[in-house]
Amino acid sequence: MCAPVPTRRQLLAAAGAGGSAALLAACGGSGDAGGATREQLEARDLRLFGSALDLEHTVIAAYTAGAGLLRGEAREHARAIVAHEREHAERLTQMIELMGGKPNPPRTPEEYRRGFPSLSDEDDVLRFAIDLENASVRAYNEALPKLSDPRLRQFAAAPATTEAEHAALLRGDLGRPQVPDAFVTGRSQIG
Amino acid sequence: MTLRRRDALIAAAALACARPAAALAQQSADDTFLERTIELELQLAEAYDGEDFEQAALFAEQCREHARGLGTALRNRGGRPPEEPGGFRGGPLALEREAVRTCHDAIGEVSDGRLLPTFAAVMANHGQHLVVLRQRMGRDPIPSAFETGAVQ
């Protein structure tokens, strides 16, 4: 009765988290189920991961758009960060497909650029990148309690923490305090 | 009382006992995660008190802030927060990784969904501490796309 269907099992394997959460995973867990059916919960999981993927695509496009304005260490950091964002996007795409959904492809660079602020120097790029990293932290952390499965929540917590790390690194490049808040929710007023 | 009715009553009583027992076990598991994380936070704060780099005092205070916040959550659940650091070993880097790992485990295992945002916010802060520590040590500050505290 509690056993996940094979596709679900594949999905959980793809989430990359294991261990003693298995029982909770199979029987439901601590998420905000609210009496929803399994189908409704899975549809919500798909929507949340779809939104996260859209945001990852946007972040990749932003780093690509600003790369030419970065120099030295900031440029190296941005390269490493965008490689992480690509890994996030790949993993999310894989999971959405395993969940039976259809991942949104990225938009064209021009479509993204139209929505971006004007970037004229390195500081502009870093500030915009920090804003996007904070938005990503917020998106993942707000999704956490809504995901139906403990291992999906564990999956989301890992890139959320990595995005917070990116923000700390970029704040350092900008000469700002790297860790301004004890509780990192992506809603920092300091940047 | 017929045998059948008595059996039914016994079964109902067993069920009534079993449900709170399971709930209590799960509450206890949640409390254990809170206690363990608080102990780690206190130990980290002590470890940073012994460091002299620029952000050490800030990081110590942030860890104490975590301990206070998690302690309030534990008290609200009827628990009693530990007042002494746990017996974990290692310098700030090892303790920060352990803190990230513990929060990550908690996010996968706690039954009270209200604890999830707190563990996530604390985990992300420890990830940021790791960036600063790794930079100070000349290591790759962001070695993994999926930070779980596992990568050195």
Side-chain angles (χ1 to χ4, degrees), chain B residues 61-145:
Chain B
E61 181 47 34
Q62 289 182 340
C63 292
R64 290 195 173 95
E65 213 175 317
H66 297 163
R68 286 193 292 274
L70 296 166
T72 300
L74 185 56
R75 265 192 295 275
N76 288 344
R77 300 163 53 81
R80 192 169 157 198
E83 290 171 6
E84 297 296 322
F88 306 98
R89 289 179 187 276
L93 187 74
L95 290 169
E96 289 288 2
R97 288 178 52 222
E98 181 64 25
V100 169
R101 263 199 307 269
T102 302
C103 290
H104 190 243
D105 287 347
I107 287 165
E109 302 211 23
V110 294
S111 64
D112 185 345
R114 292 169 301 178
L115 296 174
L116 292 169
T118 305
F119 276 116
V122 170
M123 179 177 166
N125 172 267
H126 286 299
Q128 294 188 332
H129 289 178
L130 278 172
V131 168
V132 173
L133 294 177
R134 288 172 182 144
Q135 281 186 300
R136 282 181 47 75
M137 298 168 84
R139 295 188 186 179
D140 179 355
I142 47 170
S144 172

Side-chain angles (χ1 to χ4, degrees), chain A residues 20-21 24 30 81 84 87-88 141 144-145 150 153-155 157-159 161-162 164-165 169 171 178-179 181-184, chain B residues 58 62 65-66 104-105 107-111 113 116 120-125 127-128 131-132 135 142 144-147:
Chain A
S20 54
L24 278 174
S30 53
I81 289 170
H84 284 179
E87 278 190 63
H88 297 166
N141 283 358
L144 268 182
R153 293 196 280 277
Q154 274 195 311
F155 166 79
T161 300
T162 304
E165 292 182 347
L169 191 61
R171 274 197 293 263
Q178 285 179 276
V179 192
D181 300 302
F183 293 90
V184 180
Chain B
L58 171 69
Q62 289 182 340
E65 213 175 317
H66 297 163
H104 190 243
D105 287 347
I107 287 165
E109 302 211 23
V110 294
S111 64
L116 292 169
V122 170
M123 179 177 166
N125 172 267
Q128 294 188 332
V131 168
V132 173
Q135 281 186 300
I142 47 170
S144 172
F146 296 89
E147 179 66 84

Side-chain angles (χ1 to χ4, degrees), chain A residues 46-65:
Chain A
L46 263 175
R47 280 197 303 276
L48 291 167
F49 278 9
S51 298
L53 178 60
D54 291 343
L55 189 49
E56 293 287 358
H57 285 318
T58 304
V59 175
I60 292 166
Y63 280 104
T64 306

Side-chain angles (χ1 to χ4, degrees), chain B residues 5-23:
Chain B
R5 180 156 183 258
R6 196 178 71 169
D7 286 346
L9 286 174
I10 289 170
L15 190 64
C17 289
R19 280 188 177 153

